[in-house]
Amino acid sequence: MKNRKSINAICYLEDDYGRDAQMMLPLIYFAEKYLHCHISFKLIWDIHAIYQYKPDLILQPNTIGSKLAFQISKHAHKNNIPVFALISEGNFRTDGSFNYWGYNTDKIFYQEYICHWSERTRQFFNRELPYLVNRNVLTGGVGFDRYKFYKFKSRDSFFNEKKIKPYSKVIGYAGWAFGKLFNKQGFEELSFLHQNDPDKISWLKEQMSLVENILKTVIDNNPDILFILKRHPNEANPSIVGEETNEMVHLKNRTNVLYIRDKESIHDLINISDIWLGYETTTALEAWLMGDKPTILINPDPVFKRDELYKGSLLVKNAEELQSMINEYYHTSEIKAFKTQELQRVRKKLIYDTIGFDDGMNHLRAGYYLQKTIEEKVNGNKISVKLSLRYFIMHLLMVIGKYFYYKNLFKKLPKFKKTIWIFENFRLKNMQNLKKKYYPYMNSFYEQGNISQKIKNNSLWKEIIH
């Protein structure tokens, strides 16, 4: 950038682990190294930090995924602070059945650009919201870049870390958000999504029970295989604590089951698994990016409205079909039906239609528009933030409450247990650990691709921006 003024930015996150943190890291690397940005991490609860620090810029993984995420974008916009946001769940349906506004009750995007994962969704927005055509941009799915340059946890180190006996066979399962059926907020979300189909809720409960029984059967029939069952990260709002109900919890005490509730990167779990299972999951695509690992979807009733991504996986209706594929893999080291040329072609197309690009450059495509935001909206922008009493009180509750916080006590108090996620996460201290771990991988990726030189001579953007 010509103007070397340091840019002070706040990156808002709900957690310092998982999808959103991993998605923002490559973009933040580029922003710090090439756009002269100094970035502070703040929990999405602490909207008052905008008044405290009066940043030049706000960064967000999304502005529609929660009420707080939306409020941050709106508050920043009202105070003339540009918002640059990605999309956490960018693989949405374009048949009109998906509510792309999410928690954005104003139905106004307060961010500078809408960064689409694919040309498919960008064109859909252009048709639906033509007044946004100049702000609808194709960046690709930034969170998937890590599959090009990260080094993932090995099976041995994972077993040592978890202090469990080593297994030579490991199968992973990505949970669906069945738990939403059993908490108030989640149930309201599902009811809203399926308000024209009241029987869908009953159908989902039935599917959950069938999936659980299929998992139970293959787990019990294969004591020599470790089954890693990963809870869906959005199954319940962070403020909801206590035992959940889903298709996995009744299986977690079996000796060959490891139930992962949170605080474990999905890419490490995929990496150590031989086969990746799910009901309906975007993580299947992540398994394909990691050497085209076989993916199997457990679908007792395979006919339902969903994203096209399922077409790249094998589908099984019952435990017998699943067991047959497991047997084939461990006898031959592959599943022939998964390796057909047609299914490989389908997966390649699905990757393009879902995340746009698999070259590790999506964070740079997003970085191009972040740079434009800084040049056009930040440089020369005068910041004057008005105090919000509401956000100030929220901040005070967090700052004062931390001195009285005792997790075991708060878990027993109905009003207080909803705040546990705030006091557990408000420091976001793991972000610095993630930077130390992953920045060296990115340094190597940039060196191998001569990216720094291409940024310097401005040739990179001609190669990757379409």
Side-chain angles (χ1 to χ4, degrees), residues 161-174:
E161 185 182 287
K162 298 296 179 186
K163 296 184 171 140
I164 59 176
K165 71 171 186 176
Y167 282 79
S168 61
K169 302 174 183 177
V170 180
I171 294 177
Y173 171 83

Side-chain angles (χ1 to χ4, degrees), residues 142-194:
V142 173
F144 299 91
D145 281 359
R146 66 189 187 275
Y147 293 105
K148 275 293 179 185
F149 44 74
Y150 283 11
K151 287 182 172 56
F152 303 111
K153 197 175 292 182
S154 70
R155 192 175 285 186
D156 287 343
S157 62
F158 181 82
F159 289 145
N160 289 335
E161 185 182 287
K162 298 296 179 186
K163 296 184 171 140
I164 59 176
K165 71 171 186 176
Y167 282 79
S168 61
K169 302 174 183 177
V170 180
I171 294 177
Y173 171 83
W176 197 74
F178 285 113
K180 285 181 180 289
L181 293 163
F182 304 97
N183 67 73
K184 182 181 177 182
Q185 181 179 323
F187 187 81
E188 288 174 352
E189 289 175 8
L190 289 175
S191 299
F192 175 78
L193 288 172
H194 302 295

Side-chain angles (χ1 to χ4, degrees), residues 54-68:
K54 298 174 177 58
D56 300 301
L57 178 70
I58 297 294
L59 298 175
Q60 293 183 255
N62 72 78
T63 62
I64 65 166
S66 70
K67 289 181 181 178
L68 290 172

Side-chain angles (χ1 to χ4, degrees), residues 71-338:
Q71 288 166 1
I72 289 166
S73 67
K74 184 174 181 178
H75 187 59
H77 179 79
K78 281 175 63 177
N79 287 284
N80 201 34
I81 299 174
V83 175
F84 188 85
L86 302 176
I87 298 179
S88 295
E89 294 281 2
N91 181 34
F92 55 83
R93 293 185 296 274
T94 54
D95 59 1
S97 63
F98 177 77
N99 176 22
Y100 47 77
W101 293 113
Y103 284 90
N104 183 338
T105 52
D106 290 358
K107 295 189 176 180
I108 299 171
F109 285 107
Y110 292 113
Q111 68 236 53
E112 296 304 315
Y113 292 96
I114 297 92
C115 297
H116 290 276
W117 284 15
S118 67
E119 183 64 14
R120 173 180 62 86
T121 62
R122 190 182 78 88
Q123 290 296 342
F124 172 72
F125 260 51
N126 283 345
R127 293 191 300 271
E128 289 281 301
L129 307 168
Y131 60 90
L132 290 175
V133 66
N134 293 325
R135 292 165 59 197
N136 280 326
V137 296
L138 174 62
T139 62
V142 173
F144 299 91
D145 281 359
R146 66 189 187 275
Y147 293 105
K148 275 293 179 185
F149 44 74
Y150 283 11
K151 287 182 172 56
F152 303 111
K153 197 175 292 182
S154 70
R155 192 175 285 186
D156 287 343
S157 62
F158 181 82
F159 289 145
N160 289 335
E161 185 182 287
K162 298 296 179 186
K163 296 184 171 140
I164 59 176
K165 71 171 186 176
Y167 282 79
S168 61
K169 302 174 183 177
V170 180
I171 294 177
Y173 171 83
W176 197 74
F178 285 113
K180 285 181 180 289
L181 293 163
F182 304 97
N183 67 73
K184 182 181 177 182
Q185 181 179 323
F187 187 81
E188 288 174 352
E189 289 175 8
L190 289 175
S191 299
F192 175 78
L193 288 172
H194 302 295
Q195 55 189 323
N196 296 323
D197 187 6
D199 294 334
K200 190 64 178 285
I201 300 298
S202 299
W203 180 84
L204 283 171
K205 288 182 178 179
E206 180 187 8
Q207 295 304 298
M208 186 190 84
S209 178
L210 292 170
V211 170
E212 179 181 326
N213 286 332
I214 292 169
L215 285 171
K216 176 180 178 295
T217 300
V218 295
I219 288 168
D220 289 346
N221 288 344
N222 297 276
D224 61 328
I225 299 175
L226 175 67
F227 288 84
I228 299 176
L229 310 180
K230 175 67 170 71
R231 175 183 184 256
H232 193 284
N234 293 331
E235 186 172 270
N237 185 287
S239 63
I240 299 172
V241 297
E243 190 64 68
E244 66 269 7
T245 300
N246 56 35
E247 74 274 38
M248 297 167 282
V249 290
H250 298 129
L251 309 173
K252 67 179 183 179
N253 292 325
R254 282 166 163 72
T255 56
N256 62 329
V257 166
L258 182 62
Y259 180 53
I260 305 289
R261 205 170 178 275
D262 49 23
K263 302 298 183 187
E264 192 69 56
S265 296
I266 195 73
H267 52 236
D268 289 326
L269 301 182
I270 296 172
N271 188 53
I272 66 172
S273 298
D274 301 314
I275 298 170
W276 192 246
L277 307 177
Y279 171 71
E280 182 190 13
T281 176
T282 306
T283 62
L285 183 144
E286 298 177 57
W288 305 340
L289 295 175
M290 297 183 78
D292 210 24
K293 191 159 293 203
T295 54
I296 304 172
L297 302 184
I298 303 172
N299 293 160
D301 179 0
V303 182
F304 60 97
K305 184 176 284 189
R306 53 176 159 171
D307 179 76
E308 297 273 293
L309 207 59
Y310 76 94
K311 293 181 178 179
S313 296
L314 299 175
L315 308 185
V316 295
K317 294 180 182 178
N318 52 52
E320 291 74 24
E321 291 178 1
L322 179 56
Q323 185 65 60
S324 175
M325 291 183 185
I326 291 172
N327 291 343
E328 181 183 355
Y329 179 84
Y330 286 116
H331 282 122
T332 67
S333 298
E334 68 174 16
I335 304 172
K336 282 187 178 180
F338 186 77

Side-chain angles (χ1 to χ4, degrees), residues 446-462:
Y446 274 52
E447 288 171 10
Q448 291 168 11
N450 198 27
I451 292 173
S452 294
Q453 184 59 36
K454 290 180 179 180
I455 291 173
K456 187 176 180 180
N457 63 28
N458 223 30
S459 65
L460 179 68
W461 314 125
K462 293 178 183 177

